[in-house]
Each structure stands twice: as structure tokens, then as C-alpha cells.
Amino acid sequence: MSRTEVPPGTGRAVRVAAGDLIRVIDVDGGQVGDVFAFRDGGGAELAEHHSAAHTRAGVDRLFPAVGEAFLTDLRRPILTLIEDTSPGEHDMLIPACDPARYTALGAPDHRSCAVNLREALAAQGLSFTGPTPQPINVFMRIPVGAGGRLNWLTANSRPGDAVTLRAEMDCVVVVSACPQDLVRISEAGLSPLAIETVHNGGTRS
């Protein structure tokens, strides 16, 4: 098993083989994480990626239950949620925060998950030139209320809560400890996440 620390407000990438397990841990509790996944074809340029829209269409819910898969933009399973020790509230409706979001909030130089994604990939010698994919927002509470209104609530995950994902193909997984502190989706202040990877002996093709 390997462990990668994700400092507050930053992102990290890990490369995993089909069958490996990826556990995203809320170390101190109350911290939202943006999770991105890309098919790893062995080259530096990534293309096929997790798609929130295709996943919603495939599983007929806003967030898959344990045992259900996340799909790519080619409608292929890339990750499966196999365990969740958190209260189970996550989101697949809200896009990653980006420079335009913070400019609108009056903080144009603020860090963002969109930038964290590109930096984390670059640190692995990888790149993705398409628009920022809509992430799996773990521990993020955006329930749909009356009239279809979205409610922005603070994460209620506890210290050590985690989601465990199984890689269904060789892939690159990026986790951003969301730096959003202008809208209170995380508890007061930002805190770290961690990625634990259990390698099951697979080899990337």
C-alpha cells in the first residue's frame, strides 16, 4: 500500500492499474475533495476521462451507491465505489472551482481545483488539453430542494472518513483538497486529504 498526502488547497495525482483500490480519506473531517479520473494509455496526453453526466445517465441517480460504477465520456466503467465510511453525502452536479469562479467572487488570484488538476498532472509528466471534467465531489453536500433549488451545505464528514474506489481500467486519479473557502462547503479553514492506494498486482497496458 502507498499513501499520498494532499495538502490543503492543493492536488495530487496517482497512477493505478486495473484492480487497484484507491481510498480517498478526509484526514481531519469536513473537507470537500474533487476527484478526477483519466484512462491511462501509457502516453503523456490523456483523453478519455470520468464523466459525471454519463455516470448519472448510466446509474439513474445523482451519485452512485456502493457497488455502482463511474463511467467515462465513452460510457465505460473507470472506477467503482466499493466502500464508503462517511455519512454518504457526495455530489456530481457542481463543476470544479476555477479562476473564473473566484474572479466572480472577487478573489482572482485564489487557488482552484481546475488549476490543481493541471498542476498535479504536470507533476507526473502528463497533460489534458480538454475542458476541465466535472469531478466527483466527495464529501460535498449539495442536496436538491423544493423546486429543484440547490442547497450549499457544509461537509459533515468526520476525521478519517473515506471512500474506496476500485480501478476498472489502468487510470490516473487526481484528488484536489478543494480550496474553496469563500463559499462554506468545507468546515472553517481548509484541511488535508490523503490517497491510499492498494496495488493488487496488476500491470498497466
Side-chain angles (χ1 to χ4, degrees), residues 30 32 141 152-155 180-189:
V32 167
R141 300 171 67 206
W152 294 70
L153 305 181
T154 303
Q180 176 61 274
D181 55 2
L182 303 180
V183 176
R184 196 168 175 230
I185 56 171
S186 295
E187 279 288 2

Side-chain angles (χ1 to χ4, degrees), residues 113-127:
C113 287
V115 172
N116 287 348
L117 167 64
R118 310 290 173 166
E119 291 180 350
L121 291 177
Q124 296 281 341
L126 302 168
S127 64

Side-chain angles (χ1 to χ4, degrees), residues 2-204:
S2 61
R3 182 180 174 99
T4 302
E5 304 295 334
V6 186
T10 71
R12 296 291 186 270
V14 296
R15 300 179 83 161
V16 295
D20 288 351
L21 303 182
I22 307 100
R23 184 173 297 113
V24 181
I25 304 166
D26 189 353
V27 177
D28 296 332
Q31 174 62 49
V32 167
D34 286 32
V35 178
F36 306 88
F38 302 83
R39 185 182 74 84
D40 187 355
E45 176 64 29
L46 303 173
E48 185 178 359
H49 57 84
H50 159 260
S51 167
H54 291 85
T55 300
R56 291 193 301 268
V59 301
D60 295 325
R61 66 175 81 237
L62 297 183
F63 195 84
V66 170
E68 292 183 344
F70 299 93
L71 307 181
T72 72
D73 55 321
L74 298 182
R75 300 183 188 270
R76 301 197 300 167
I78 186 168
L79 300 171
T80 297
L81 178 63
I82 64 168
E83 185 179 23
D84 185 358
T85 65
S86 79
E89 296 186 75
H90 310 282
D91 167 74
M92 282 202 310
L93 296 175
I94 304 302
C97 59
D98 53 26
R101 170 67 160 152
Y102 290 111
T103 296
L105 292 172
D109 297 323
H110 202 285
R111 291 197 63 85
S112 70
C113 287
V115 172
N116 287 348
L117 167 64
R118 310 290 173 166
E119 291 180 350
L121 291 177
Q124 296 281 341
L126 302 168
S127 64
F128 177 71
T129 58
T132 301
Q134 187 178 349
I136 306 163
N137 295 309
V138 294
F139 315 126
M140 187 173 181
R141 300 171 67 206
I142 309 289
V144 179
R149 297 288 297 180
L150 299 178
N151 297 291
W152 294 70
L153 305 181
T154 303
N156 63 356
S157 45
R158 302 151 301 202
D161 277 351
V163 293
T164 302
L165 306 161
R166 183 180 64 237
E168 302 301 342
M169 62 175 69
D170 299 349
C171 59
V172 180
V173 176
V174 178
V175 176
S176 173
C178 184
Q180 176 61 274
D181 55 2
L182 303 180
V183 176
R184 196 168 175 230
I185 56 171
S186 295
E187 279 288 2
L190 302 177
S191 59
L193 298 174
I195 310 166
E196 286 183 352
T197 305
V198 179
H199 300 284
N200 288 325
T203 57
R204 288 192 296 269

